[in-house]
C-alpha cells in the first residue's frame, strides 16, 4: 500500500513539472529525434554534385529506418527533391519515398499531398513514372481512405496521356489497384464525365506500345481480382489482342478472355464469318485453344493451363480439342480399334500411315461453316505433342481437370493420356500416370490400352512403376484377359524388380477385389489346379505365388463360389497368409473349414462390422480399466496386464484401430509401471535397505518419461485433453523422481533444486492446460494444486512427504479417445538386411548406402525424421536427409529415398552396422501448437531455458543390419 | 509498282532438285541447289542456262542460300559453283556446312566410282565449293550487301535445317526449305516470328496429309519391329544416312534399353560415324530433352547400335538394319532388300517419302514383282510397311506456319501438283491470301506495296501535335499540312516555310477576290456596319474588326462595300482572302450572297 501511494505521489509530481517541459522540446524532438534524417540532411547538403548525392542516397537505402523517424526523413528528401536538378537523383529519391512509405507502422497519408505536388512540376518522364509508383505504394498502404484514393485516381487520369510508356503503365497500374468498385469515377471533374474506370482502361488496349497494352490488360485483371465485375463489352477487344504481335500481351489477353468466359458463360456472341451465334464460353474456349499453337511457349503454357479451368464448355467443343481434323463437322473417333482399321476416309486428308491413301477425293464444300476457328481443333493433340515439356505437362493437367468434370470426355482422352506414357521426359510420364489415376473412376481400360499401360511397368524408374501400381489399384478393366495380362506383367515386374514386392501385392489386392467375376474363370489356371491330378504344392515363400494368392483371395471375398475351386493346400496357405499378411488378405467365409473360421471369429463378418465391434471392445476395455479407483487396489495390476495384452493384439488385428489401441496400451503401461514402482515395499523400509528397489523404481520413472514423450509425439490426431493426460503422467513420473532423489541422495542441494524444478513444472502444467483442469478432477495434479500454497512455502522434506501420499492416493485418470489416432510408423524397405555379401569399401573413404523407407502419419517429416547409423564400436551417427529426398505418394504417407554415407577405419572382418530411423522432437514445437500458446510465451522469462524445450529422439523403425567391410588402404 | 519474281528451276510442282530463283528489289537470289534422285541424266541438275546462256553465274546472282544438307537441296552445289561457275557468297548454317561435304563426297563416289560416270565434279571441286560458304547462325541478321539482308530461323527437319528470311528494303521473302512443325525424338519444331513477308515460299510435301499424333506413330513402329523380332524375322529400315536415321536410332535404342531386348541393331557404315560425330557436337540444334540431358549422357552415343558389315546380312536370327539410301534405289539398302525380299517373316519399313520411279515407290504401291537389271524379276514376299516418319510439315503444320508468319502471298513448291492444288484451295479459303504454285521454269510475279519511309521534321510534328489532342490516336488518322521534298534520293516532310527556305524560293501570296451583289437600301457605311454586326453574330470566336477606312476585316479577309453605278440600292461587296483562309472565305461569300437579315440595324 505504501509503495502504491508513493508511486501515485510521484506521478502527480511529475505531471505538474513536466507539462511546460514538454512544450519546448516538442519542436526539438522533431528535428533531433530522427537522427537518421539529420544525418541524411547533412550528407545531402555536403554533396557537391549529383553523383555524390546519389551515393549518399544509395548508402542510406541500405539501412532500415524506424517507423517514427520516417516522416522526418521524407520531409528532408522532399526538400532536397525540389532543389535537385539531376534526374537520376530525383528518381532515386522518388523510389526511396516509395520504400519508406512501406515501413511498418508508418501511415503515409501525411505525404500524399507532397507526393502529388511533386508530380505537377516534374518534367522527366522516368521520374514521373517512379513518382507514380510511389503513389501506388501509398495507395495500397491506405486502402480505407476514399479521399486519398479519389485523388490518386485523378492524378492517374491526368497523366494517362503522357507520351512515355512507363508513365502510362504506372497510371494504368494505379487505376487497376485503386479503381473504385461499382462507382463511376471522376464525378467532380467534367472532363472525365461519367466514364468509368473500365472504359478508360480499355481505351488503352489499343495503345501503340505493347507494354502499355499489357499493363492495361493487367489493370483490368486486377480490377477483376478486387471484385469489380468486368463488362462484357471488352470481350471483343480482348479477343483481338489474342493475335497481338507481342507475347506478353497475348498472355495477358488469354487471362482476360478466360476471366470473361467465367463471368458471362451463357451470353451469346456472333461468329464473324456467318450469322450463327454461340455461347461466349464456347467461343472463348475455341479462341484459347487456338493459342495452344501459339509461337511463344509461354503463351502456350498459359493457354493450356487456362483450358483446364473452363469447365462450362459444351461437350461438342470439348471433344473437338482432341480432333486433329481441320473441319469440325466431319468428326471421327480416335479409338485404337478404329485406328487399327483403315483410317476413316474423310476425303480430305490422309493420315500418313498408309501409302497413297491421300489422293484427294472431293473438294471441300465452301459453304460449310466453321463453327470454331479451325486452330482450336486438336488443341490438346497439339499441346500434348509440344516441343516444350512445360506445355505438355500443362496440357496433361488441363485434360485431367476437364476429364474429371465430363465422363464422356474422360473416355475420349484416354488414348491420348495412355500415349503420354511414352513421353521422353519422365516428369511428363509420371504426371500422365497420376492424371489417369485421378480420372480412372470414369473409365474402363480396354485390352490394348492396358497393354500400353503395362508396358511402362518395365520402366527403370521406381517412381513411375509405383505410380503405375497405384493406377492399377484404381483401374477398371473389361475382360478376364486384361486381368491375366495385368497379373502376368506384374509378376514380370516382380521378377525384375524384387523391391517392388509390397507395392505389387497391394496392387493385386485391389485388382482382385475390384474384379471378382473376372478372376473367377481364371482361378484354376492361376492356382494350377487340375480336375483329376494333384499338382505339386507351390512354394509358400515365393513372392510371385503370394501375389497370385492375394489376387485370388481378394476376389473371393465377394465371390462365394470361388473357394470351392481351391485345393487343400490353398486353404492352408490362406490361414498362413491371413495371419502373416493380414493387411493384404481379407477374412474369408470358408464353408466346412472350422478351424479357419474359428480363428477369424474374433473379428469375423464383413469389414465394417468388425471395425465397429473392435471399437466397442476397445471402449469396453477402457471402461473396465477405469473402474480401478486406486493404484493400490488389489487385482488392478492383473487387470492392467490383461488389458494391455488385449489391446496390443487388437492393434495387430485391426489396422484401423492400431493407433488408438497402441496409444491406450502405452498409456496403461505407464500407469502400470507407476503402480509397480509405488507398490514396492520400499516405501516402508529404511533407506539403506532398499537400494536395489530404488534402482528399479528409478528405471521405471525414466521409462515412464520416455513413454510419455512417445505418446506425445508419435501419435497424430491427439486433442489437448489427451496431451494434458500425457503431461499429467509425466508429472507423476517427475514426482516419483523427486521422491527417489530425496531418498537416495543425502545432500540437500540437489533435492532443493529438483523440488524447485518440480514446482515450476506443476505451474507450467497449470498454465498450459487451464482449460483442461476441470476434466482432471480428483487426479494427482488436482490434489497438488489444492495444496499449492502450502507446497511453495514448505521445506523440501515436507514436500516430498506430501508428494508421496498424493501420488499413492491419486486415482487413475480415465482415458478418452479422440476420433482418429494414428501412430507414426516407418518401415525400412531397403536395405533389407538379408544380404550376406558385405559392402566393401576402402577405409577412410565413404560408401553410399541406399535407404528407402515408407513413413506414415508423420507431420513435417522433412524436419523430424533422421537416419541413425550405429557402428559395432558403439559409435553412432545421425544423418539428416535432404528435404528433396521425401516424396509424398499419398495422404499421411511419405517416402524417404535417400543415401546414407558410411565410413569407418579399417576392420579385420566384416561386421554389421545398424540403420534405423529416428523421430526428433522438441517439446517447444508442440507447445507452440497447443491452444494455450499465448500463456506459455508470456511466461517464457520465468522458465529456465533448459526446461523450455526438451529435445530428443524416438526410434521410429526397427533397426536394419547391414553387413559392411572397410578394407585397409592398399599402398 | 515494285515486283518480286519467283522462278523455280526445280521443285516446282515436283519433289527433288530444289532450286528457286528469287528477284527482289533488284537482287537475284538462288534458294537451294539440289539434285533429283529419280534421274541419272542431265535432268538431275537444275537448268542453270535459264539464268545465263553461257558464262559465269556470278554476274547474275547476288547470293546462294542452302537450307539444309539433303542432296535434293544441295546436291548440285559443286556443279553450279565450280563447273558452271559461281564465285559469290553461299550461305548455310554451321551444321549444314559440316555435314554437306560428307554427303556430296558420298554422292560423288556412287556416281563416279560405282557407275563410272565422267564429267562429274571431283573431290577438289567440293572442297573449293565449300570454301565459298559463309556460315550462318540462327536469328543472326547477315548483311549480304548494303541492301540485302538474310536471317535464319530454326526449321526442325534435320540437324541444321533453316528457314531464311530475305529482306531488301521493306520487301521480304521467307523460304522455308524443308521444315517440321512437330518436334521429334531429336529435333525441335520450326519457329518463325511474325515477320509478315511479302511471299512465303513453303514446301508442301505432305499437302494433303494430317498425320496421326507422333506418339501413336512411334508406338506402332516399335510394335511392328518388336513383333517381327519376336517371330525371328529381320527388319530392314531404308533411311538416308542423316536425319530420320538418327531419330529412329534414338527411338530404338531407348526402346531396346527399356524392354531389355537382345537382337542386334546395325547401322550401315560409311558416313554414319562421321555424321553421328556431328550430331554429338551440334547439341544446341537438337530438342529440349537432348539439350537437357547431354551433360549426363549424350543421347547420340548409342549402346545397342553397332556398325553393319555386308556379311551380317546372311546371319541367321532376328536383326534390325538401318541401310542407305532411303528410297531403295541403289546401294546397300537395295542389296539387303534383294536378299531378304523372299522371306515373308521379314519386314521392310519405309519411314519416309519415296520419289516416283524408285523401288521404294513401287513396293509401297503394292507391286509384288519387281523387274531388276538384266531382266531378272524379284518376288516381294516380305511385309512392306509405311510409317510416315518424314520430318516434313503436314497440312496442319503448313497452316500453322502461315499463321505464325502472316505472309501477304503464299507460294508452294516441293510437292506434287494435285496435292498442291488442294492445299492452295485451303489456304485461299482460310487466310484469304493469294497462293501460287508455279511449275519449273514458270515465273510468278507478285507486285508489292512497299511503304516508303519519309523523314518528318520534328518541329512540324510538334506543331501538329500541339494543334490536335495530346496523343496520336491510332484509330483516327489525322491530316496535316506540310511539304514533301524529294532531294538526293531521300524524302522529307517539312513545313512549308522551311521548304521555301531550303529550296531558296520566295513565298507567293495567293489572294482570291470576289464580288457579291447585295440589295440594300442603306448607305455604304451603314451597309458595312450592318455587315459587321451580322458577321459578328454569326462568326463567334473570330476576330472581326471594323476599320475606320471603310473595311471590315475577318481574320485575313477584307470586305469592302461600294454602291453600284446604276442602282444605289445595289451594293457591291468586295471580298478578298488569302489562300490560307480559303475555307472561311468561301463560307463568307456564300453567306453574304444570301443577303443580310432584315432585323439588323
Amino acid at each position: 500500500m505504501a509503495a502504491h501511494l508513493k508511486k501515485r505521489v510521484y506521478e502527480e509530481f511529475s505531471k505538474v513539472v513536466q507539462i511546460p517541459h514538454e512544450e519546448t522540446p516538442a519542436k526539438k524532438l522533431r528535428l533531433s529525434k530522427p537522427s537518421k534524417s539529420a544525418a541524411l540532411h547533412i550528407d545531402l547538403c555536403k554533396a557537391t554534385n549529383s553523383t555524390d548525392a546519389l551515393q549518399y542516397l544509395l548508402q542510406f537505402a541500405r539501412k532500415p529506418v524506424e517507423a517514427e523517424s520516417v516522416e522526418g526523413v521524407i520531409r528532408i528528401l522532399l526538400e532536397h527533391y525540389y532543389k535537385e536538378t539531376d534526374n537520376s537523383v530525383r528518381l532515386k529519391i522518388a523510389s526511396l519515398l516509395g520504400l519508406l512509405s512501406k515501413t511498418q507502422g508508418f501511415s503515409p497519408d501525411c505525404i500524399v499531398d507532397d507526393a502529388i505536388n511533386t508530380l505537377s512540376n516534374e518534367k522527366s518522364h522516368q521520374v514521373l513514372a517512379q513518382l507514380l509508383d510511389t503513389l501506388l505504394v501509398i495507395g495500397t498502404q491506405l486502402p480505407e481512405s476514399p479521399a486519398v484514393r479519389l485523388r490518386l485516381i485523378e492524378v492517374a487520369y491526368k497523366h494517362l496521356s503522357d507520351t512515355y510508356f512507363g508513365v502510362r503503365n504506372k497510371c494504368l497500374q494505379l487505376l487497376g489497384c485503386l479503381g473504385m468498385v461499382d462507382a463511376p469515377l471522376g464525378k467532380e471533374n467534367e472532363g472525365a464525365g461519367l466514364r468509368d474506370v473500365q472504359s478508360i482502361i480499355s481505351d488503352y488496349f489499343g495503345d501503340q506500345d505493347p507494354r502499355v497494352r499489357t499493363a492495361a490488360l493487367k489493370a483490368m485483371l486486377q480490377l477483376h481480382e478486387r471484385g469489380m465485375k468486368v463488362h462484357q463489352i471488352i470481350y471483343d477487344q480482348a479477343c483481338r489482342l489474342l493475335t497481338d504481335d507481342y507475347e506478353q500481351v497475348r498472355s495477358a489477353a488469354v487471362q482476360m478472355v478466360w476471366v470473361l468466359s467465367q463471368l458471362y458463360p451463357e451470353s451469346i456472341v456472333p461468329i464473324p464469318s456467318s450469322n450463327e451465334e454461340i455461347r461466349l464460353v464456347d467461343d472463348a474456349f475455341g479462341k484459347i485453344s487456338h493459342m495452344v499453337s501459339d509461337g511463344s511457349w509461354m503463351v502456350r503454357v498459359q493457354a493450356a493451363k487456362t483450358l483446364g479451368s473452363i469447365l462450362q464448355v459444351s461437350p461438342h467443343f470439348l471433344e473437338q480439342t482432341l480432333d486433329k481434323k481441320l473441319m469440325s463437322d466431319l468428326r471421327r473417333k480416335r479409338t485404337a480399334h478404329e485406328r487399327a482399321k483403315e483410317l476413316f476416309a474423310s476425303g480430305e486428308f490422309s493420315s500418313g500411315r498408309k501409302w497413297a491413301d491421300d489422293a484427294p477425293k472431293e473438294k471441300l464444300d465452301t459453304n460449310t461453316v466453321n463453327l470454331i476457328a479451325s486452330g482450336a481443333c486438336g488443341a490438346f493433340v497439339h499441346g500434348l505433342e509440344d516441343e516444350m515439356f512445360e506445355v505438355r505437362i500443362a496440357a496433361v493437367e488441363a485434360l485431367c481437370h476437364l476429364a474429371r468434370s465430363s465422363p464422356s470426355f474422360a473416355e475420349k482422352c484416354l488414348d491420348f493420356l495412355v500415349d503420354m506414357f511414352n513421353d521422353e521426359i519422365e516428369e511428363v510420364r509420371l504426371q500422365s500416370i497420376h492424371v489417369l489415376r485421378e480420372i480412372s473412376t470414369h473409365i474402363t481400360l480396354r485390352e490394348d490400352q492396358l497393354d500400353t499401360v503395362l508396358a511402362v511397368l518395365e520402366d527403370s524408374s521406381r517412381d513411375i512403376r509405383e505410380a503405375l501400381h497405384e493406377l492399377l489399384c484404381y483401374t477398371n478393366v473389361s475382360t478376364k484377359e486384361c486381368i491375366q495380362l495385368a497379373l502376368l506383367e506384374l509378376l514380370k515386374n516382380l521378377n525384375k524388380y524384387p523391391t517392388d514386392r509390397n507395392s505389387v501385392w497391394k496392387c493385386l489386392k485391389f485388382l482382385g477385389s475390384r474384379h471378382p467375376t473376372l478372376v473367377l474363370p481364371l482361378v484354376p489356371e492361376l492356382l494350377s489346379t487340375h480336375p483329376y491330378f494333384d499338382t505339386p504344392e507351390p512354394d509358400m515363400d515365393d513372392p510371385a505365388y503370394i501375389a497370385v494368392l492375394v489376387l485370388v483371395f481378394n476376389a473371393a471375398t465377394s465371390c462365394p463360389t470361388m473357394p470351392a475351386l481351391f485345393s487343400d493346400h490353398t486353404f492352408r496357405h490362406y490361414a498362413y497368409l491371413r495371419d502373416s499378411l493380414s493387411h493384404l488378405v481379407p477374412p474369408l467365409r470358408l464353408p466346412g473349414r472350422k478351424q479357419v473360421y474359428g480363428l477369424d471369429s474374433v473379428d469375423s463378418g464383413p469389414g465394417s462390422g468388425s471395425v465397429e465391434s473392435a471399437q466397442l471392445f476397445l471402449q469396453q476395455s477402457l471402461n473396465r480399466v477405469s473402474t480401478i479407483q486406486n493404484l493400490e487396489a488389489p487385482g488392478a495390476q492383473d487387470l492392467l496386464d490383461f488389458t494391455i495384452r488385449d489391446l496390443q493384439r487388437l492393434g495387430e488385428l485391426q489396422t484401423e484401430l492400431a493407433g488408438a489401441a497402441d496409444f491406450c496400451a502405452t498409456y496403461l503401461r505407464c500407469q502400470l509401471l507407476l503402480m509397480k514402482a509405488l507398490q514396492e515395499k520400499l516405501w516402508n523400509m529404511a533407506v539403506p535397505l532398499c537400494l536395489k528397489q530404488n534402482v528399479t523404481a528409478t528405471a521405471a520413472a525414466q521409462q515412464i518419461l520416455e513413454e510419455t514423450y512417445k505418446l506425445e509425439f508419435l501419435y497424430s490426431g491427439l486433442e489437448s485433453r489427451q496431451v494434458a493426460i500425457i503431461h499429467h503422467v509425466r508429472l507423476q513420473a517427475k514426482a516419483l523422481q523427486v521422491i527417489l532423489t530425496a531418498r537416495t541422495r543425502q545432500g540437500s542441494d540437489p533435492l532443493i533444486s529438483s523440488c524447485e524444478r518440480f514446482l515450476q513444472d506443476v505451474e507450467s502444467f497449470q498454465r498450459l492446460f487451464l482449460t483442461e483442469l476441470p476434466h482432471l478432477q480428483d487426479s494427482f495434479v488436482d490434489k497438488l494444486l489444492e495444496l499449492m500454497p502450502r507446497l511453495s512455502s514448505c521445506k523440501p522434506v515436507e514436500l516430498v512427504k506430501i508428494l508421496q501420499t498424493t501420488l499413492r492416493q491419486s486415482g487413475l485418470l480415465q482415458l478418452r479417445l479422440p476420433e482418429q489416432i494414428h501412430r507414426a510408423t516407418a518401415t525400412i524397405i531397403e536395405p533389407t538386411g538379408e544380404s550376406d555379401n558385405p559392402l566393401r569399401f576402402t577405409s577412410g573413404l565413404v560408401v553410399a548406402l541406399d535407404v528407402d523407407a515408407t513413413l506414415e502419419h508423420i507431420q513435417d517429416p522433412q524436419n523430424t525424421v533422421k537416419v541413425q547409423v550405429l557402428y559395432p564400436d558403439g559409435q553412432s551417427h545421425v544423418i539428416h536427409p535432404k528435404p528433396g529426398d521425401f516424396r509424398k505418394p499419398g495422404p499421411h504417407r511419405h517416402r524417404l529415398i535417400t543415401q546414407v554415407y558410411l565410413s569407418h577405419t579399417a576392420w579385420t572382418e566384416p561386421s554389421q552396422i545398424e540403420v534405423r530411423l529416428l523421430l526428433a522432437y522438441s517439446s517447444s514445437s508442440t507447445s507452440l501448437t497447443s491452444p494455450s500458446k499465448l500463456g506459455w510465451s508470456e511466461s517464457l522469462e520465468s522458465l529456465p531455458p533448459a526446461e523450455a524445450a526438451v529435445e530428443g529422439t524416438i526410434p521410429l523403425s526397427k533397426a536394419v543390419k547391414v553387413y559392411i567391410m572397410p578394407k585397409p588402404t592398399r599402398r | 509498282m515494285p515486283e518480286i519474281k519467283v522462278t523455280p528451276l526445280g521443285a516446282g510442282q515436283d519433289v527433288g532438285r530444289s532450286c528457286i530463283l528469287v528477284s527482289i528489289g533488284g537482287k537475284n537470289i538462288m534458294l537451294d541447289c539440289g539434285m533429283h534422285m529419280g534421274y541419272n541424266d542431265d535432268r538431275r541438275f537444275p537448268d542453270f542456262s535459264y539464268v545465263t546462256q553461257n558464262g559465269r553465274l556470278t554476274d547474275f546472282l547476288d547470293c546462294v542460300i542452302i537450307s539444309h544438307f539433303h542432296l535434293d537441296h544441295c546436291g548440285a552445289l559443286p556443279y553450279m559453283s565450280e563447273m558452271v561457275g559461281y564465285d559469290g557468297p553461299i550461305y548455310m548454317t554451321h551444321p549444314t556446312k559440316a555435314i554437306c561435304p560428307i554427303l556430296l563426297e558420298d554422292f560423288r563416289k556412287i556416281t563416279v566410282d560405282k557407275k563410272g560416270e565422267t564429267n562429274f565434279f571431283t573431290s577438289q571441286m567440293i572442297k573449293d565449293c565449300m570454301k565459298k560458304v559463309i556460315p550462318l547462325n540462327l536469328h543472326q541478321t547477315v548483311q549480304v550487301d548494303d541492301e540485302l539482308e538474310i536471317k535464319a530461323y530454326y526449321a526442325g527437319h534435320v540437324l541444321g535445317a533453316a528457314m531464311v528470311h530475305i529482306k531488301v528494303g521493306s520487301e521480304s521473302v521467307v523460304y522455308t526449305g524443308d521444315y517440321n512443325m512437330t518436334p521429334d525424338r531429336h529435333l525441335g519444331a520450326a519457329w518463325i516470328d511474325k515477320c509478315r513477308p511479302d511471299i512465303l515460299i513453303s514446301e508442301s510435301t505432305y499437302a494433303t496429309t494430317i498425320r496421326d499424333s507422333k506418339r501413336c506413330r512411334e508406338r506402332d513402329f516399335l510394335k511392328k519391329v518388336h513383333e517381327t523380332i519376336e517371330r525371328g524375322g529381320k527388319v530392314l529400315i531404308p533411311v538416308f544416312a542423316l536425319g530420320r536415321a538418327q531419330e529412329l536410332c534414338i527411338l530404338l535404342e531407348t526402346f531396346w534399353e527399356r524392354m531389355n531386348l537382345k537382337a542386334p541393331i546395325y547401322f550401315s557404315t560409311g558416313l554414319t560415324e562421321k555424321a553421328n560425330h556431328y550430331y554429338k557436337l551440334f547439341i544446341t540444334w537438337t530438342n529440349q530433352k537432348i539439350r537437357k540431358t547431354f551433360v549426363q549422357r549424350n543421347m547420340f552415343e548409342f549402346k545397342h547400335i553397332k556398325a553393319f558389315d555386308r556379311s551380317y546380312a546372311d546371319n541367321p536370327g532376328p536383326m534390325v538394319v538401318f541401310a542407305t539410301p532411303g528410297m531403295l534405289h541403289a546401294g546397300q539398302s537395295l542389296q539387303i532388300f534383294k536378299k531378304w525380299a523372299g522371306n515373308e517373316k521379314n519386314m521392310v519399313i519405309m519411314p519416309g517419302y519415296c520419289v516416283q520411279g524408285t523401288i521404294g515407290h513401287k513396293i509401297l504401291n503394292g507391286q509384288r514383282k519387281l523387274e531388276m537389271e538384266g531382266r531378272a524379276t524379284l518376288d516381294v514376299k516380305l511385309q512392306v510397311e509405311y510409317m510416315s516418319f518424314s520430318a516434313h510439315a503436314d497440312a496442319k503444320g503448313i497452316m500453322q506456319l502461315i499463321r505464325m508468319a502472316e505472309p501477304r502471298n503464299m507460294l508452294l513448291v516441293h510437292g506434287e501438283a494435285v496435292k498442291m492444288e488442294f492445299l492452295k484451295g485451303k489456304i485461299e479459303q482460310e487466310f484469304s491470301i493469294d497462293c501460287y504454285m508455279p511449275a519449273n521454269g514458270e515465273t510468278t510475279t507478285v507486285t508489292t506495296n512497299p511503304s516508303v519511309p519519309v523523314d518528318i521534321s520534328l518541329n512540324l510534328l510538334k506543331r501538329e501535335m500541339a494543334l490536335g489532342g495530346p496523343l496520336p490516336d491510332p484509330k483516327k488518322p489525322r491530316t496535316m499540312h506540310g511539304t514533301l521534298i524529294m532531294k538526293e534520293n531521300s524524302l522529307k516532310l517539312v513545313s512549308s516555310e522551311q521548304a521555301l527556305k531550303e529550296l531558296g524560293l520566295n513565298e507567293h501570296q495567293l489572294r482570291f477576290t470576289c464580288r457579291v451583289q447585295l440589295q440594300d437600301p442603306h448607305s455604304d457605311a451603314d451597309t458595312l456596319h450592318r455587315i459587321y454586326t451580322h458577321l459578328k453574330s454569326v462568326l463567334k470566336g473570330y476576330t472581326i474588326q471594323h476599320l475606320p477606312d471603310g473595311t471590315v476585316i475577318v481574320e485575313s479577309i477584307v470586305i469592302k462595300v461600294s454602291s453600284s453605278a446604276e442602282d444605289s440600292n445595289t451594293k457591291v461587296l468586295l471580298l478578298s482572302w488569302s489562300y490560307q483562309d480559303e475555307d472561311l472565305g468561301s463560307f463568307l461569300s456564300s453567306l453574304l450572297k444570301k443577303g443580310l437579315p432584315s432585323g439588323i440595324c
Side-chain angles (χ1 to χ4, degrees), chain B residues 590-600:
Chain B
S590 55
L591 180 79
L592 291 173
K593 266 178 198 157
K594 283 184 210 145
L596 297 172
S598 50
I600 304 168

PDB file of all heavy atoms in Angstrom, chain B residues 590-600:
ATOM      1  N   SER B 590     -20.513  32.804 -99.597  1.00  0.00           N
ATOM      2  CA  SER B 590     -21.824  32.182 -99.740  1.00  0.00           C
ATOM      3  C   SER B 590     -22.799  32.737 -98.698  1.00  0.00           C
ATOM      4  O   SER B 590     -23.993  32.871 -98.970  1.00  0.00           O
ATOM      5  CB  SER B 590     -21.735  30.661 -99.628  1.00  0.00           C
ATOM      6  OG  SER B 590     -21.105  30.316 -98.437  1.00  0.00           O
ATOM      7  N   LEU B 591     -22.275  33.116 -97.558  1.00  0.00           N
ATOM      8  CA  LEU B 591     -23.142  33.679 -96.522  1.00  0.00           C
ATOM      9  C   LEU B 591     -23.695  35.019 -96.957  1.00  0.00           C
ATOM     10  O   LEU B 591     -24.880  35.313 -96.849  1.00  0.00           O
ATOM     11  CB  LEU B 591     -22.348  33.821 -95.215  1.00  0.00           C
ATOM     12  CG  LEU B 591     -23.115  34.404 -94.029  1.00  0.00           C
ATOM     13  CD1 LEU B 591     -23.989  33.324 -93.402  1.00  0.00           C
ATOM     14  CD2 LEU B 591     -22.181  34.992 -92.997  1.00  0.00           C
ATOM     15  N   LEU B 592     -22.778  35.805 -97.511  1.00  0.00           N
ATOM     16  CA  LEU B 592     -23.197  37.146 -97.878  1.00  0.00           C
ATOM     17  C   LEU B 592     -24.095  37.138 -99.105  1.00  0.00           C
ATOM     18  O   LEU B 592     -24.918  38.034 -99.293  1.00  0.00           O
ATOM     19  CB  LEU B 592     -21.977  38.032 -98.117  1.00  0.00           C
ATOM     20  CG  LEU B 592     -21.187  38.337 -96.825  1.00  0.00           C
ATOM     21  CD1 LEU B 592     -19.903  39.056 -97.138  1.00  0.00           C
ATOM     22  CD2 LEU B 592     -22.042  39.150 -95.875  1.00  0.00           C
ATOM     23  N   LYS B 593     -23.931  36.137 -99.964  1.00  0.00           N
ATOM     24  CA  LYS B 593     -24.786  36.044-101.134  1.00  0.00           C
ATOM     25  C   LYS B 593     -26.239  35.900-100.726  1.00  0.00           C
ATOM     26  O   LYS B 593     -27.147  36.273-101.444  1.00  0.00           O
ATOM     27  CB  LYS B 593     -24.372  34.850-101.987  1.00  0.00           C
ATOM     28  CG  LYS B 593     -23.400  35.231-103.079  1.00  0.00           C
ATOM     29  CD  LYS B 593     -22.984  34.001-103.883  1.00  0.00           C
ATOM     30  CE  LYS B 593     -21.705  34.316-104.640  1.00  0.00           C
ATOM     31  NZ  LYS B 593     -20.981  33.085-104.957  1.00  0.00           N
ATOM     32  N   LYS B 594     -26.446  35.314 -99.598  1.00  0.00           N
ATOM     33  CA  LYS B 594     -27.826  35.109 -99.153  1.00  0.00           C
ATOM     34  C   LYS B 594     -28.467  36.425 -98.731  1.00  0.00           C
ATOM     35  O   LYS B 594     -29.659  36.510 -98.511  1.00  0.00           O
ATOM     36  CB  LYS B 594     -27.847  34.146 -97.958  1.00  0.00           C
ATOM     37  CG  LYS B 594     -27.656  32.695 -98.343  1.00  0.00           C
ATOM     38  CD  LYS B 594     -27.793  31.817 -97.105  1.00  0.00           C
ATOM     39  CE  LYS B 594     -26.948  30.565 -97.233  1.00  0.00           C
ATOM     40  NZ  LYS B 594     -26.391  30.155 -95.944  1.00  0.00           N
ATOM     41  N   GLY B 595     -27.674  37.430 -98.590  1.00  0.00           N
ATOM     42  CA  GLY B 595     -28.226  38.728 -98.182  1.00  0.00           C
ATOM     43  C   GLY B 595     -28.212  38.897 -96.691  1.00  0.00           C
ATOM     44  O   GLY B 595     -27.922  37.934 -95.945  1.00  0.00           O
ATOM     45  N   LEU B 596     -28.474  40.071 -96.272  1.00  0.00           N
ATOM     46  CA  LEU B 596     -28.458  40.332 -94.847  1.00  0.00           C
ATOM     47  C   LEU B 596     -29.845  40.157 -94.265  1.00  0.00           C
ATOM     48  O   LEU B 596     -30.836  40.483 -94.931  1.00  0.00           O
ATOM     49  CB  LEU B 596     -27.982  41.764 -94.586  1.00  0.00           C
ATOM     50  CG  LEU B 596     -26.552  42.069 -95.020  1.00  0.00           C
ATOM     51  CD1 LEU B 596     -26.284  43.555 -94.888  1.00  0.00           C
ATOM     52  CD2 LEU B 596     -25.580  41.249 -94.196  1.00  0.00           C
ATOM     53  N   PRO B 597     -29.915  39.629 -93.108  1.00  0.00           N
ATOM     54  CA  PRO B 597     -31.221  39.528 -92.486  1.00  0.00           C
ATOM     55  C   PRO B 597     -31.772  40.942 -92.207  1.00  0.00           C
ATOM     56  O   PRO B 597     -31.001  41.879 -91.972  1.00  0.00           O
ATOM     57  CB  PRO B 597     -30.956  38.747 -91.204  1.00  0.00           C
ATOM     58  CG  PRO B 597     -29.510  38.901 -90.962  1.00  0.00           C
ATOM     59  CD  PRO B 597     -28.857  39.118 -92.273  1.00  0.00           C
ATOM     60  N   SER B 598     -33.054  41.057 -92.203  1.00  0.00           N
ATOM     61  CA  SER B 598     -33.654  42.382 -92.097  1.00  0.00           C
ATOM     62  C   SER B 598     -33.579  42.960 -90.688  1.00  0.00           C
ATOM     63  O   SER B 598     -33.646  44.170 -90.500  1.00  0.00           O
ATOM     64  CB  SER B 598     -35.117  42.336 -92.542  1.00  0.00           C
ATOM     65  OG  SER B 598     -35.762  41.272 -91.865  1.00  0.00           O
ATOM     66  N   GLY B 599     -33.477  42.145 -89.744  1.00  0.00           N
ATOM     67  CA  GLY B 599     -33.572  42.606 -88.356  1.00  0.00           C
ATOM     68  C   GLY B 599     -32.374  43.371 -87.854  1.00  0.00           C
ATOM     69  O   GLY B 599     -32.331  43.788 -86.700  1.00  0.00           O
ATOM     70  N   ILE B 600     -31.376  43.559 -88.670  1.00  0.00           N
ATOM     71  CA  ILE B 600     -30.168  44.212 -88.165  1.00  0.00           C
ATOM     72  C   ILE B 600     -30.229  45.709 -88.371  1.00  0.00           C
ATOM     73  O   ILE B 600     -30.643  46.185 -89.423  1.00  0.00           O
ATOM     74  CB  ILE B 600     -28.940  43.633 -88.880  1.00  0.00           C
ATOM     75  CG1 ILE B 600     -28.917  42.106 -88.709  1.00  0.00           C
ATOM     76  CG2 ILE B 600     -27.666  44.248 -88.361  1.00  0.00           C
ATOM     77  CD1 ILE B 600     -27.931  41.423 -89.586  1.00  0.00           C
TER      78      ILE B 600
END
